[in-house]
Amino acid sequence: MRVDFDPETVGRDEFYRLLTAVVVPRPIAWVSTVSATGVDNLAPHSFFSISCVAPPIVQFTSVGRKDTLRNVEATGEFVVSMAPEEMFEQINATGTDFPSDQGEFDAVGIEREPSLLVKPARVAASPVALECRLHSTVRLGDSTLVLGRVVHAAVDASVLTDGHPEITRMRPLSRLGRDQWGTTAGIRSIARVPYRP
């Protein structure tokens, strides 16, 4: 027997909790931006994916109008740093609703490193950083989809195997439902089956 949930009747918050519990695991974009007044912002966004390969475009969604979105709109730049397992508590702490004039790098004690092509800093301890310039935004109800063209990727040599990022070395976190987070334990591999008529 299935239980039915009608988004029109259960309410926005309850349906949000349902969606985030069933659309899992969700990779985390740890997005750094700089405000128009020079404040370094860093926040995790778990509505994150690849949008296009050529040109390379990634996307994240801002639920509501948060500092990250305002900064991207003002400056046209952002960096997505991968959220590694060992920084679990710091990543969670950057999700705190700090005042706009208080930067999360300093508030949480996260070391920066300069980006190569954009102004926002990268997270120094993250093994992967994607430097992005704003491609476009799409307003969808109470949320805004942000699409960024990747202009540079920086990958720590320690997570590369034969020149390719290795998941067991990167150890990215993901978001699940409620306050649950996922790790990369229990990885399985299987090759795609080619069609042969």
Side-chain angles (χ1 to χ4, degrees):
M1 181 180 85
R2 294 182 184 267
V3 177
D4 296 316
F5 294 85
D6 182 349
E8 297 298 322
T9 58
V10 300
R12 182 260 190 206
D13 292 346
E14 185 176 343
F15 208 76
Y16 169 83
R17 287 190 291 271
L18 174 71
L19 285 175
T20 56
V22 299
V23 182
V24 290
R26 297 185 311 282
I28 299 166
W30 206 7
V31 181
S32 54
T33 57
V34 178
S35 74
T37 58
V39 178
D40 290 338
N41 179 265
L42 180 64
H45 294 265
S46 68
F47 294 3
F48 169 56
S49 191
I50 301 165
S51 304
C52 185
V53 175
I57 295 175
V58 294
Q59 67 181 56
F60 71 90
T61 298
S62 174
V63 180
R65 291 196 54 78
K66 299 176 181 175
D67 290 342
T68 300
L69 176 60
R70 287 190 288 269
N71 295 348
V72 170
E73 290 174 336
T75 67
E77 296 183 334
F78 63 95
V79 174
V80 174
S81 292
M82 198 199 73
E85 269 183 53
E86 59 269 19
M87 299 188 78
F88 172 61
E89 292 182 352
Q90 290 170 298
I91 295 160
N92 185 57
T94 60
T96 301
D97 189 20
F98 289 104
S100 296
D101 61 353
Q102 188 173 358
E104 286 79 4
F105 278 98
D106 294 330
V108 178
I110 296 171
E111 184 181 352
R112 307 163 172 82
E113 70 178 23
S115 293
L116 185 68
L117 297 179
V118 298
K119 187 173 181 182
R122 305 188 297 223
V123 174
S126 173
V128 179
L130 304 175
E131 299 180 15
C132 302
R133 291 200 175 104
L134 180 63
H135 175 277
S136 57
T137 60
V138 180
R139 186 71 185 266
L140 300 167
D142 68 353
S143 302
T144 303
L145 177 67
V146 178
L147 297 115
R149 181 168 183 158
V150 180
V151 294
H152 182 72
V155 182
D156 194 291
S158 67
V159 303
L160 296 175
T161 300
D162 298 327
H164 189 77
E166 171 56 48
I167 190 74
T168 58
R169 294 183 179 186
M170 292 187 297
R171 298 174 58 208
L173 284 166
S174 61
R175 280 305 312 270
L176 307 174
R178 296 183 177 170
D179 291 332
Q180 300 166 328
W181 298 60
T183 66
T184 53
I187 296 167
R188 299 171 64 182
S189 297
I190 188 170
R192 289 194 183 191
V193 179
Y195 173 71
R196 292 189 180 91

